[in-house]
Amino acid sequence: MPAVTAPEEQHGTRNRVARSILDHGPSTAAELALRLELTQAAVRRHLDTLVADGVVEPREKRVYGARRRGRPAKMFALTDCGRDAFDQAYDDLAVDALRWIEQSAGGGEKGRAAVAAFARARLAAQAEGYRGAVESAAPGRRTEALAGALSADGYAATARSAPVGEQLCQHHCPVAHAAERYPQLCEAETEVFSQLLGTHVQRLATIAHGDGVCTTFIPKTGHQAGQTDTAVEKTDHRITKTTTASASTAGRNPE
């Protein structure tokens, strides 16, 4: 085996840093250092290079509740350029195909409806591959099971607890550029999540609209379901009372 040169090793570590942000969403230097078992100083050097190359961008970390002394930790998120390096080679083809469907249906409202029908059919077929994993999971683990199935398809998804429910986070979207032009893809995906999990869900943020992570809220079921909308609205003013998200309801993602 040929010896690995210092520049090659540095490049490989930078790729690990970028990949970690892809898999886990916007992250601080401290979080990256902990995940990658590197020093914060080393991580910051790689982040400086990635920022200079346009692969990641710094953001101010959103603080909830009382603000502590000192400046909030800076988050680093992938840019569109950074995402282009991960599995988005077919975006142009996808956009061209959707444009052809839209124009062939006559454009306007009919064209948008045709794209929506295609998106629903595509996501319905994709959901069949997830159904077994979700339905075989315990009721309290179904969001986690769906996250695992999505991750196997390249969405780098995680499930985490949230006030009065859970959040399904997709840290990568293979069709983000196409979804930016055709939000019907996001809307169809939200509908499929609702069907698979057997409850209404609310899309809070999407990568296609500039957020660091696609975030979907899944309320608790049972006797608390009737209280969910009010409780969630008090927790986060960005959540609307609609059960199916659209492009207009996608807010900034909580980081």
Side-chain angles (χ1 to χ4, degrees), residues 28-254:
T28 64
E31 291 167 342
L32 289 163
L34 183 63
R35 287 199 296 262
L36 300 174
E37 297 182 346
L38 299 169
T39 65
Q40 289 193 40
V43 168
R44 290 185 187 282
R45 286 197 299 271
H46 291 300
L47 286 171
D48 287 343
T49 301
L50 291 169
V51 169
D53 291 343
V55 176
V56 303
E57 61 183 359
R59 297 179 179 177
E60 291 297 326
K61 184 176 182 179
R62 186 172 287 110
V63 177
Y64 297 95
R67 183 181 292 274
R68 297 180 180 179
R69 290 184 178 181
R71 298 181 63 183
K74 189 170 292 185
M75 308 288 287
F76 292 87
L78 284 179
T79 63
D80 287 342
C81 177
R83 291 184 185 281
D84 283 342
F86 296 100
D87 307 324
Q88 291 185 342
Y90 298 102
D91 262 6
D92 288 342
L93 176 62
V95 171
D96 288 343
L98 291 170
R99 185 181 297 113
W100 184 88
I101 291 172
E102 183 179 39
Q103 293 174 350
S104 295
E109 191 63 34
K110 290 183 178 179
R112 289 189 290 272
V115 172
F118 167 80
R120 291 192 186 96
R122 175 183 177 274
L123 266 297
Q126 188 173 335
E128 289 306 309
Y130 307 154
R131 193 174 302 280
V134 174
E135 293 182 350
S136 63
R141 304 293 294 274
R142 289 184 175 177
T143 302
E144 184 180 344
L146 178 56
L150 287 166
S151 292
D153 265 358
Y155 289 86
T158 58
R160 65 188 184 191
S161 297
V164 298
E166 297 176 287
Q167 282 187 353
L168 176 66
C169 299
Q170 297 157 264
H171 302 285
H172 180 50
C173 177
V175 295
H177 290 174
E180 182 178 358
R181 172 65 179 82
Y182 293 100
Q184 294 95 323
L185 296 173
C186 296
E187 293 164 6
E189 184 179 73
T190 306
E191 292 174 8
V192 163
F193 289 170
S194 177
Q195 294 163 8
L196 287 171
L197 297 172
T199 183
H200 76 277
V201 302
Q202 294 170 315
R203 182 58 62 87
L204 308 184
T206 62
I207 293 171
H209 287 85
D211 299 289
V213 182
C214 293
T215 307
T216 305
F217 175 76
I218 299 96
K220 287 182 179 178
T221 56
H223 68 280
Q224 295 172 315
Q227 304 170 353
T228 297
D229 283 339
T230 301
V232 174
E233 194 170 60
K234 289 180 180 178
T235 304
D236 192 326
H237 68 277
R238 291 161 304 190
I239 302 175
T240 68
K241 290 187 178 181
T242 58
T243 58
T244 302
S246 66
S248 62
T249 63
R252 299 302 299 175
N253 183 63

